[in-house]
Amino acid sequence: MGIKDQPIHLTRGSYMPKLEWIHKKFVVLWDERYKRGWLVNGTTALLHLSRAALERKQESPFKSQLLFKSGSLEEATEKFTAESAVQVLTNEYNMRLKIYRDKSQHSERVLWKGTDKEDVVYEEKENFYRFQDLVDDLYNVLEKMVEYQNHVTNRDGVSLKCRVRKHLDGWEFDDIIENQDCRPSVATLEAMGYGWVNLITEIGAVTLLGKDFGEIIQPSEVLCDRWSQMPMAEAY
């Protein structure tokens, strides 16, 4: 596939169409501390980024301005499924949750009695930066990364399969949740983890590199103690 064969990028302006689009994309959350990765859909990654961003705001120099309270999000009725994140992100109560006060809007309205001005009423509308706004901002970052991944994968018709398989290219997770310029980053894989590079190339997944992601995917039924949690340091 060459540059001329790359798909046309369509701009999505509304919240729900954005979620529908990102839900069909894939993201790898690669844990550099424990050397393991989680392949999740885009909405799951988006919710994980949103939770992490809110936690980080609790520790920031602007925490005194924070309106959001930890534990305020209403959770999905069924956790740890491919659609759980969609329930949380589209929950109307969650979408309206206030995070910060935003710039207020001021206006004035003149009251008339006949042809005489009777009074001037000054009005102020207080605006807020809400959970939906945070999700939207993080979506915009992920969207750019997906587009970049598609461009690099198909650049000049050369597949990334030609790259050295021990290098996993991605982006720093912390840069995204701290609202910083996103830095490309690379994780070095042991031999048993080389399959990640081929998989990511085939499905056009974006890789986010971080630490301590936790148990993002859990088994519904434990048949083996070894697999009650994702094994660490084995590049799974």
Side-chain angles (χ1 to χ4, degrees), residues 18 37-38 45 48 76 96 101 138 156 188 209 211 220 234:
K18 288 180 177 181
W38 306 92
H48 197 73
R96 292 194 299 267
R101 284 184 173 83
L138 293 171
D156 300 325
T188 301
L209 307 176
K211 297 178 181 178
S220 59
E234 296 187 24

Side-chain angles (χ1 to χ4, degrees), residues 60-235:
S60 80
F62 300 93
K63 61 185 178 183
S64 62
Q65 304 300 314
L66 193 64
L67 301 176
F68 181 85
K69 303 298 182 184
S70 180
S72 297
L73 284 176
E74 290 187 352
E75 301 296 342
T77 53
E78 187 176 357
K79 297 182 179 180
F80 306 116
T81 73
E83 285 73 41
S84 297
V86 174
Q87 290 187 37
V88 178
L89 294 172
T90 59
N91 180 303
E92 291 190 7
Y93 170 80
N94 291 340
M95 292 166 63
R96 292 194 299 267
L97 284 172
K98 300 172 184 176
I99 298 178
Y100 290 123
R101 284 184 173 83
D102 209 343
K103 184 178 180 181
S104 298
Q105 293 179 336
H106 301 271
S107 62
E108 60 181 53
R109 184 160 49 94
V110 179
L111 302 180
W112 295 86
K113 187 174 183 179
T115 58
D116 299 324
K117 183 169 69 173
E118 185 177 63
D119 199 3
V120 177
V121 177
Y122 296 94
E123 298 177 333
E124 179 180 356
K125 179 182 178 182
E126 192 171 22
N127 295 320
F128 297 93
Y129 181 77
R130 300 175 185 269
F131 180 72
Q132 179 179 343
D133 300 315
L134 173 65
V135 173
D136 196 60
D137 287 343
L138 293 171
Y139 163 88
N140 290 334
V141 176
L142 273 185
E143 182 187 45
K144 289 180 174 63
M145 290 179 173
V146 170
E147 295 299 325
Y148 177 86
Q149 180 72 20
N150 290 338
H151 173 73
V152 170
T153 300
N154 300 313
R155 183 174 51 200
D156 300 325
V158 179
S159 171
L160 285 181
K161 289 181 180 178
C162 299
R163 287 182 55 84
V164 179
R165 295 169 66 208
K166 68 179 181 179
H167 292 147
L168 185 61
D169 296 322
W171 307 87
E172 289 290 338
F173 183 88
D174 281 358
D175 286 346
I176 304 175
I177 64 173
E178 293 178 359
N179 197 25
Q180 300 297 313
D181 292 338
C182 296
R183 298 168 293 167
S185 190
V186 177
T188 301
L189 303 175
E190 300 296 333
M192 66 181 68
Y194 289 178
W196 275 113
V197 178
N198 286 347
L199 174 64
I200 289 168
T201 302
E202 290 295 333
I203 64 177
V206 169
T207 302
L208 304 182
L209 307 176
K211 297 178 181 178
D212 300 321
F213 286 128
E215 302 298 321
I216 295 176
I217 300 175
Q218 298 185 12
S220 59
E221 183 179 357
V222 179
L223 301 177
C224 173
D225 289 341
R226 170 176 165 77
W227 288 98
S228 61
Q229 293 183 339
M230 177 73 77
M232 299 180 183
E234 296 187 24

